[in-house]
Amino acid sequence: MMRELWSQMGSLMATVVFMYTVFERFFPSSFRDRLQAYAQKVTNHFNPYIQITFPEFSGERLKKSEAYNAIQTYLSANSSQRAKRLKAEVVKDSQTPLVLSMDDNEEITDEFQGIKVWWSANKVSSNPQRYNPFSYYGSSDDKRFYKLTFHRSYRDIITMSYIKHVLEEGKEIELTNRQLKLYTNNPSSGWYGYKQSKWSHIVFEHPASFETLAMDQKRKEDILKDLAKFKKGKEYYSKIGKAWKRGYLLYGPPGTGKSTMIAAIAKFMNYDVYDLELTAVKDNTELRKLLIETPSKSITVIEDIDCSLDLTGQRKKKKEEVENEEQKDPMRKNEEESSKSSKVTLSGLLNFIDGIWSACGGERIIIFTTNYVEKLDPALIRRGRMDKHIEMSYCCFDAFKVLAKNYLDVKSHLLFGRIGTLLKETEMSPADVAENLMPKSEDEDVETCLENLIMALEKNKEENAKKKAEEEAQRKAEEEAQKKLEEEKAKEESTQNKEINKEKTRENMVKENGFC
C-alpha cells in the first residue's frame, strides 16, 4: 500500500516538474509574471496571515535602515534565546561587543498582549548568476530583511502598537548598551572635506559615579531625584510648552569635584558629553551650528565659563570706551577685530542656551562650571537658563567617609571622630583630602593615611588662622590709615575754611571804611 502511494507521489512530482519546465521555457516572461500575480492574489485570499518586510537598506542612496537595526537589537535581546541557529557579530562602541542574533532563514516567535507573531531573518540574492560558492566573502548583491508574520485579525494592534513598541525598545537597548563618548569641538577650518566633522570624540571611560562622589548624602540624593524627574519628563515639558532641556551651574572653589560631578551625571543618565571650547568658536553662527550637531540624550559642558571668554563686559560698555572706539582709525579697528580669537557674544551664548534653536533635538543637559560665580552676568545664570545651582563646597564629614571607603576601603575608625571635628574647624577641598588618604608606599596602612590627613588638617587650620590674623591686622591697619587720612583731610578743610572766613572778614571791613 505504501509502495503504491510513494509511486503515485513520484509520478505526480515528475509531472509538476515537467509542467513547470515547460511553463518557464515556452511562455513569455510577461505572461508568467501576470499569472504569478493572479496566483498570489488567490493564495492571499485564502491565507489568514499578513506579512510585513523590513529591508536592511532603504531609500534612494540605500542607507542602512534604522528600523532594521532597531529590530535586530530587539530580537537579539528578547527573542534570540529561542533560536536554534545564531550568528555572532562584533559591534563597535558597545559595552557588549559580541552580539548574537538570528542566522539567515531562521524563525522565532514573540508575544505581545497575548498575540503570537513570527519573526524570520531572510536573505535573497538579486543576481544569482554572480554567486561564487568558492568565495570567502558573501555576495555584494545579497539583500537581507526581517519578515513579520501575524494573523490578520490583529492587524491594527500590530501595526499601531507592536511595531512601535519593537522600534522604541530596540533603540532603548542600543542606547543602554552603547559606550559613552567624550566629544570636543574641532576648529571650523576642519569642518569640511572627506570624513570631516564638527566634533571629534574618544571613548568616555571616567570611573566616577554618584556612589563614589564625595558629597553630602542629602544633597546627592536631591540631585539624583532631579535628574530622574528630568529623564522621565518628556510629556510634562511638552505640556507646559518648554524645551526638554535642563541647565546646571556647578560652582565652588577648585578641587571640589565639579568635573567628577559631570562624569557622574553622564554615567547616571547614560548621555554622551560634549565639551565645548568657546575660544575655538569664531562667532555666534558657528556656535549655533555646533548646537545643531549635538544629538538628544547628550550633555553640553562649558567648563570655567568665567575664563572662557570675556562675557561679563559685553553687555554694556563705558561711555569713555565707546568714545575711544569712535575715534580709532578704521583700519586699526578692523585689525583689532580680526585679531580676536572669538567673536562669540553674550547674546549669542544666551540664545545658544535657551533661544529658539535650543529646542532642537530635545532631552539635553547644559552644564556650566565656575570657580567665581559672582563674576558671571546675572542673565547667564538666571533660572530657566541654569535651572539648578549646585554649590560644590569644601569637604564635609559625609564626603570624607565616601573618600575613606573609596581610597582605604574602611567605613569606620577610631580616628574618624578627630577628623570630623577638624573638618568643621577648617576648610579643605575633597581633592586635598583624597591626596592625603591615598597610600604613597606599601608600608602605609589605613591608620598611617588617616594620621597623615589629621596632620594636614591641623597644619591647614594653623595656616588659615595665621592668614585670618594677618588679614585682620591688615584690615585694622587700613582702617586706621583711612581714619588718619580722613582726620588730616578734615583738619585741612577746617584750615581752609578759617582762611576763607578771615578773607571775608577783611573784605567786609574794607567796605565799611569806604575804600571800595
Side-chain angles (χ1 to χ4, degrees):
M1 187 72 180
M2 288 295 296
R3 186 177 298 175
E4 293 179 359
L5 181 61
W6 281 111
S7 176
Q8 292 175 1
M9 286 290 294
S11 301
L12 180 61
M13 291 296 297
T15 305
V16 169
V17 170
F18 174 76
M19 299 270 308
Y20 181 79
T21 304
V22 171
F23 177 78
E24 286 285 330
R25 187 166 185 177
F26 295 103
F27 287 85
S29 59
S30 58
F31 178 77
R32 293 200 308 269
D33 293 340
R34 183 170 295 183
L35 187 61
Q36 287 176 355
Y38 281 118
Q40 187 68 37
K41 286 183 179 181
V42 173
T43 304
N44 291 339
H45 180 73
F46 294 99
N47 186 11
Y49 293 95
I50 295 176
Q51 294 179 344
I52 302 177
T53 60
F54 299 89
E56 183 179 9
F57 297 96
S58 61
E60 295 179 357
R61 299 184 180 181
L62 293 179
K63 291 184 178 180
K64 189 93 175 197
S65 171
E66 293 184 7
Y68 183 91
N69 289 337
I71 292 169
Q72 185 179 40
T73 305
Y74 171 83
L75 295 177
S76 299
N78 293 283
S79 303
S80 292
Q81 298 173 354
R82 297 188 291 272
K84 294 181 179 179
R85 293 186 299 111
L86 300 171
K87 62 180 178 181
E89 294 180 330
V90 177
V91 181
K92 291 179 62 178
D93 301 329
S94 175
Q95 296 181 10
T96 55
L98 189 65
V99 177
L100 298 177
S101 59
M102 286 192 301
D103 199 0
D104 296 330
N105 302 316
E106 181 71 2
E107 183 179 87
I108 59 174
T109 60
D110 192 21
E111 285 192 11
F112 179 74
Q113 297 181 3
I115 302 171
K116 193 173 183 179
V117 299
W118 294 265
W119 284 99
S120 61
N122 301 274
K123 180 181 72 173
V124 295
S125 178
S126 59
N127 190 359
Q129 296 179 355
R130 292 184 57 185
Y131 174 69
N132 184 2
F134 300 101
S135 174
Y136 287 103
Y137 307 100
S139 172
S140 60
D141 295 319
D142 288 345
K143 293 183 179 180
R144 288 181 169 83
F145 60 91
Y146 283 108
K147 183 167 65 176
L148 172 63
T149 305
F150 56 92
H151 199 278
R152 61 187 177 190
S153 59
Y154 304 119
R155 182 183 188 125
D156 292 339
I157 297 177
I158 298 300
T159 56
M160 301 297 292
S161 301
Y162 176 68
I163 295 178
K164 181 181 178 182
H165 162 75
V166 170
L167 297 180
E168 290 178 351
E169 187 75 14
K171 291 178 180 178
E172 189 65 31
I173 295 171
E174 187 175 355
L175 286 172
T176 304
N177 291 337
R178 69 189 173 91
Q179 281 186 323
L180 298 183
K181 298 186 183 68
L182 175 62
Y183 290 82
T184 185
N185 51 302
N186 298 322
S188 57
S189 57
W191 285 8
Y192 307 100
Y194 179 67
K195 288 189 177 179
Q196 297 297 322
S197 64
K198 297 177 178 62
W199 298 91
S200 57
H201 71 271
I202 60 172
V203 176
F204 187 53
E205 296 179 325
H206 201 293
S209 64
F210 275 98
E211 288 76 15
T212 60
L213 182 64
M215 193 177 190
D216 178 72
Q217 187 61 31
K218 290 184 178 179
R219 296 180 61 221
K220 194 187 297 187
E221 291 174 358
D222 177 63
I223 297 169
L224 285 169
K225 289 178 181 177
D226 187 86
L227 291 168
K229 181 69 175 177
F230 169 77
K231 196 171 186 178
K232 300 176 182 178
K234 181 178 182 180
E235 294 181 0
Y236 176 76
Y237 277 84
S238 177
K239 184 182 73 173
I240 64 177
K242 186 178 179 181
W244 190 12
K245 66 177 184 60
R246 192 154 180 80
Y248 291 88
L249 174 68
L250 309 182
Y251 66 95
T256 51
K258 294 183 285 293
S259 298
T260 307
M261 171 67 78
I262 294 171
I265 292 175
K267 185 170 288 187
F268 177 77
M269 301 294 287
N270 199 35
Y271 287 0
D272 290 330
V273 178
Y274 287 76
D275 186 15
L276 178 61
E277 179 56 53
L278 280 179
T279 55
V281 184
K282 284 187 177 180
D283 50 34
N284 297 334
T285 303
E286 286 191 3
L287 186 64
R288 192 179 302 119
K289 290 178 180 178
L290 286 169
L291 172 67
I292 296 172
E293 290 292 321
T294 57
S296 60
K297 297 182 183 294
S298 64
I299 301 174
T300 303
V301 178
I302 303 179
E303 294 198 85
D304 297 320
I305 183 68
D306 54 303
C307 303
S308 297
L309 290 175
D310 183 17
L311 299 170
T312 56
Q314 295 184 13
R315 179 170 284 275
K316 56 182 179 181
K317 296 182 179 180
K318 294 181 180 179
K319 184 178 179 181
E320 295 82 0
E321 293 178 356
V322 176
E323 290 177 354
N324 291 337
E325 285 190 359
E326 291 177 352
Q327 293 174 2
K328 282 182 182 177
D329 181 62
M331 294 293 293
R332 184 179 177 185
K333 187 176 179 182
N334 290 335
E335 289 177 1
E336 290 182 357
E337 288 291 329
S338 60
S339 64
K340 291 182 180 179
S341 59
S342 177
K343 296 178 183 178
V344 174
T345 63
L346 179 61
S347 174
L349 186 59
L350 297 181
N351 289 329
F352 172 84
I353 300 169
D354 68 345
I356 296 176
W357 290 91
S358 66
C360 64
E363 195 176 356
R364 69 176 75 240
I365 291 175
I366 300 175
I367 298 179
F368 288 169
T369 71
T370 179
N371 295 335
Y372 307 100
V373 67
E374 64 277 0
K375 291 184 178 181
L376 300 180
D377 192 297
L380 188 65
I381 59 175
R382 69 164 176 80
R383 307 293 178 174
R385 290 194 174 109
M386 293 294 105
D387 304 284
K388 191 172 184 63
H389 295 187
I390 302 174
E391 181 180 6
M392 307 299 293
S393 58
Y394 291 104
C395 189
C396 62
F397 188 60
D398 281 351
F400 158 74
K401 288 192 292 185
V402 174
L403 292 173
K405 179 67 173 64
N406 294 342
Y407 286 82
L408 301 175
D409 200 22
V410 292
K411 294 183 178 179
S412 63
H413 195 275
L414 292 175
L415 297 176
F416 274 23
R418 176 60 178 158
I419 293 173
T421 303
L422 287 170
L423 287 173
K424 292 179 181 178
E425 296 173 351
T426 186
E427 294 177 341
M428 182 178 282
S429 68
D432 290 333
V433 173
E435 180 61 27
N436 285 284
L437 288 176
M438 183 181 292
K440 307 300 188 298
S441 68
E442 295 291 339
D443 299 331
E444 293 187 354
D445 56 7
V446 173
E447 190 166 348
T448 305
C449 294
L450 293 176
E451 288 175 351
N452 291 339
L453 176 59
I454 290 174
M455 287 190 291
L457 287 169
E458 289 175 344
K459 183 180 178 181
N460 191 60
K461 180 182 176 181
E462 293 174 1
E463 290 178 352
N464 288 342
K466 185 179 179 181
K467 185 177 179 182
K468 286 181 180 179
E470 291 175 354
E471 290 176 353
E472 184 67 20
Q474 184 179 358
R475 185 183 63 81
K476 287 182 178 180
E478 290 176 354
E479 288 180 354
E480 290 177 0
Q482 182 68 21
K483 186 178 180 181
K484 188 176 181 181
L485 184 64
E486 289 176 356
E487 289 175 355
E488 290 178 356
K489 187 177 180 181
K491 188 176 181 181
E492 185 179 349
E493 289 178 353
S494 177
T495 304
Q496 290 177 355
N497 290 334
K498 287 180 181 180
E499 292 294 331
I500 293 171
N501 291 334
K502 285 181 181 181
E503 185 67 27
K504 287 183 178 179
T505 304
R506 192 180 297 112
E507 289 177 357
N508 291 334
M509 289 177 65
V510 170
K511 288 181 181 180
E512 290 175 359
N513 292 329
F515 291 104
C516 64

